[in-house]
Amino acid sequence: MKSIGLHWFRRDLRFDGNPALLRNIEEMRGRVLCVFFFDATFLSRPDFSVGRFAFFIKSLQSLKDQLRERGGDLLVLDDGPDAGFERILNLLDKHQLKPALVTWNRDYEPFARLRDERIERWLQKRDIKVLTERDHLICEPHEVLKDDGTPYRVFTPYYRKWKQFLATSGGRVRLAAPTAKDKINFELSWKRVDAKIPALDRCDTFEKQNRRRLKINVPEAGTSEAFRVWKNFGHRLDAYKDLRDFPAHDATSGLSIFFKNGSITTAQVLSRTNRHSASAEKFISEVAWREFYYSILFNFPYVETESFNPKYRNIKWENDEKLFKKWKSGETGFPLVDAGMRELVQTGRMHNRVRMVVASFLVKDLHIDWRWGERFFMEHLLDGDLAANNGGWQWAASTGCDPQPYFRIFNPQSQAKKFDPENSYIQKWVPEFGTKNELRPIVNHAERARRAVTLYRKLG
Ligand SMILES: Cc1cc2nc3c(=O)[nH]c(=O)nc-3n(C[C@H](O)[C@H](O)[C@H](O)COP(=O)(O)OP(=O)(O)OC[C@H]3O[C@@H](n4cnc5c(N)ncnc54)[C@H](O)[C@@H]3O)c2cc1C
């Protein structure tokens, strides 16, 4: 039996600066095979998004190219990891090969953590060494804790500690410039093991099946595209602090879709960003919000299904299906809300300010359970990510950690005046705006906002 390494890709879809993969290549002197498992349970999740999946497949295809350029390749199987690893081990056995090392980069979602623990035990029982690395967060949830070892529940002190951590010698290397390590190559590929193995790959089958259901244009994906988007943002970074709240301006980075799949990481971006300006500081703090919400999900995994704040678990939501439908289709008669929802459904994207407004509107004007909105976002957002989405929804619903106080309710009309003063964003998505066909508001905002305050106040 000859020893080889195996790298399991998940949400780290790139070669450059991929810590677990590079470590494997180094330890196994390039004799590393790469695999990706499409978990059937994931594909049948109720919050599955055709658009996000299409973008994911594109990112996988780009990853394949990156690996091929370096002499390797990727095998995409339609098994979950449990059946998948068993299949791979049998396959390798036939060719007198055995993985001595399996690597992956860590994931922090509750489902992923359980899965990874299970797979690690399974591999270790077979005398296979498992090595995991930090990748998609700059600071892992267990690294930024209060002095008494408990997790933060409020962003500002979390952020202070996060920055302190990054100023330590251990933290500084996280944002260090890339090294020549990335230049190493593969000495093995599935094709070289057996020319028939690549025929097992299911990536194109998934792509074809999914394409039939796809209703939106999916943006370019992959690491080169992510770096192009980042470079482009570099020229606009100085204006970020002042313009980031205005949806008509192309003022934010547009990187969240790439962070989600690991085509590029936040550490790679920040290590190449001049971090000494008010705009850069603002951008860094937004990246820290992403990490804060991961920390919340990691330390309080119940937030996936429940309010972070137990006080608000028993709110009597009205959950009116007709109003929910109007919200989903962008027909509420509140132009900024409708613009946002139409943009979401037609493109899979929505500006952060508008996300806050439509989320607040669903919960505090329509009195619909935030989880309905969270699910709808996940069905459509190209960057849909459990931690940030859940955090954003619980913030807007005032049920989360460090949330918007329940009595501070966005007025969608004044938000529009303030953040879309020329109505340019609204007019792009709501062409009937300002014409006789303009929709009438489906609710009276002032009256509904008062009622929302009563709903929350009743619970303390
Ligand atoms: C109700 C609601 C739902 C959301 N759902 C998601 C989601 O599913 N996935 C997601 O990535 N973000 C989500 N966000 C956060 C935010 O809207 C997006 O990250 C941002 O709009 C992405 O655009 P950008 O990359 O141009 O952001 P930039 O302004 O360029 O920010 C840089 C990066 O910081 C992170 N970031 C920025 N704002 C936030 C934030 N408020 N919370 C957490 N991370 C942030 C993102 O990773 C982003 O790419 C949600 C916000 C709200 C209010």
Side-chain angles (χ1 to χ4, degrees), residues 220-458:
E220 283 307 308
T223 300
S224 314
E225 179 62 10
F227 272 99
R228 193 194 65 74
V229 169
W230 167 73
K231 278 211 177 99
N232 191 304
F233 173 63
H235 305 302
R236 295 175 283 126
L237 178 62
D238 283 347
Y240 181 76
K241 183 167 174 286
D242 294 332
L243 295 182
R244 59 179 287 277
D245 266 319
F246 295 83
H249 290 270
D250 184 18
T252 68
S253 69
L255 284 168
S256 56
I257 54 174
F258 301 104
F259 293 150
K260 161 81 189 174
N261 294 342
S263 297
I264 197 170
T265 63
T266 47
Q268 285 180 317
V269 166
L270 294 190
S271 66
R272 291 163 169 88
T273 303
N274 180 353
R275 302 197 288 275
H276 306 289
S277 70
S279 263
E281 169 73 15
K282 188 72 201 149
F283 182 68
I284 294 167
S285 75
E286 293 305 321
V287 168
W289 268 104
R290 177 178 187 268
E291 308 227 330
F292 176 61
Y293 284 141
Y294 263 99
S295 163
I296 294 295
L297 180 64
F298 181 88
N299 290 301
F300 307 94
Y302 64 81
V303 296
E304 191 177 354
T305 51
E306 292 282 3
S307 294
F308 174 83
N309 185 341
K311 205 158 73 176
Y312 297 126
R313 289 203 187 136
N314 296 319
I315 294 183
K316 296 268 173 284
W317 304 110
E318 290 171 18
N319 291 344
D320 182 319
E321 298 270 3
K322 278 198 200 120
L323 292 180
F324 186 48
K325 217 168 148 195
K326 295 274 184 209
W327 178 82
K328 289 195 291 188
S329 55
E331 294 175 301
T332 66
F334 289 86
L336 185 57
V337 174
D338 292 347
M341 296 308 292
R342 292 181 198 185
E343 180 184 18
L344 173 66
V345 172
Q346 289 171 39
T347 68
R349 294 186 182 239
M350 196 197 292
H351 188 275
N352 180 59
R353 169 61 47 181
V354 189
R355 292 187 203 201
M356 295 196 289
V357 172
V358 306
S360 170
F361 184 81
L362 183 80
V363 176
K364 292 179 180 165
D365 284 64
L366 303 186
H367 308 161
I368 289 176
D369 191 330
W370 57 270
R371 287 170 292 201
W372 291 28
E374 183 197 21
R375 160 87 66 88
F376 190 73
F377 264 35
M378 280 308 272
E379 285 167 33
H380 291 273
L381 277 178
L382 289 174
D383 68 7
D385 194 33
L386 175 58
N389 196 39
N390 183 275
W393 274 95
Q394 296 226 36
W395 179 87
S398 307
T399 59
C401 51
D402 205 0
Q404 167 95 313
Y406 71 81
F407 46 84
R408 274 196 55 205
I409 298 183
F410 282 135
N411 177 327
Q413 276 130 347
S414 27
Q415 286 285 309
K417 270 201 198 110
K418 194 165 171 196
F419 296 111
D420 191 28
E422 317 273 303
N423 297 317
S424 341
Y425 173 74
I426 289 176
Q427 260 152 1
K428 180 170 179 195
W429 297 104
V430 185
E432 76 274 22
F433 176 74
T435 72
K436 64 177 174 19
N437 295 329
E438 190 174 339
L439 298 173
R440 290 163 62 95
I442 52 171
V443 289
N444 175 318
H445 168 70
E447 187 257 307
R448 299 294 290 179
R450 273 196 300 276
R451 166 122 184 83
V453 172
T454 316
L455 276 178
Y456 280 82
R457 195 180 284 140
K458 267 191 202 154

Side-chain angles (χ1 to χ4, degrees), residues 143-161:
E143 292 177 320
V144 183
L145 297 169
K146 291 189 207 168
D147 291 343
D148 65 5
T150 60
Y152 285 100
R153 293 155 180 261
V154 176
F155 177 72
T156 307
Y158 168 89
Y159 183 43
R160 217 176 290 130
K161 195 61 161 285

Side-chain angles (χ1 to χ4, degrees), residues 109-205:
E109 293 187 2
F111 166 83
R113 285 165 65 192
L114 287 175
R115 176 198 63 198
D116 293 354
E117 279 166 25
R118 192 174 68 241
I119 298 292
E120 184 164 356
R121 278 196 304 274
W122 190 89
L123 290 167
Q124 280 168 346
K125 259 195 224 151
R126 282 153 189 81
D127 277 335
I128 299 171
K129 183 171 142 193
V130 173
L131 202 147
T132 70
E133 291 276 359
R134 172 200 59 80
D135 183 47
H136 92 84
L137 296 181
I138 300 172
C139 304
E140 293 186 287
H142 65 270
E143 292 177 320
V144 183
L145 297 169
K146 291 189 207 168
D147 291 343
D148 65 5
T150 60
Y152 285 100
R153 293 155 180 261
V154 176
F155 177 72
T156 307
Y158 168 89
Y159 183 43
R160 217 176 290 130
K161 195 61 161 285
W162 187 84
K163 284 196 294 188
Q164 268 170 22
F165 180 82
L166 286 177
T168 63
S169 54
R172 267 198 298 274
V173 292
R174 309 257 165 118
L175 301 183
T179 65
K181 218 168 107 181
D182 295 8
K183 299 279 175 278
I184 52 186
N185 281 328
F186 291 94
E187 298 297 332
L188 188 65
S189 65
W190 289 105
K191 205 164 83 186
R192 279 165 69 181
V193 171
D194 181 341
K196 286 191 219 119
I197 293 180
L200 301 173
D201 190 277
R202 286 289 165 269
C203 197
D204 289 347
T205 321

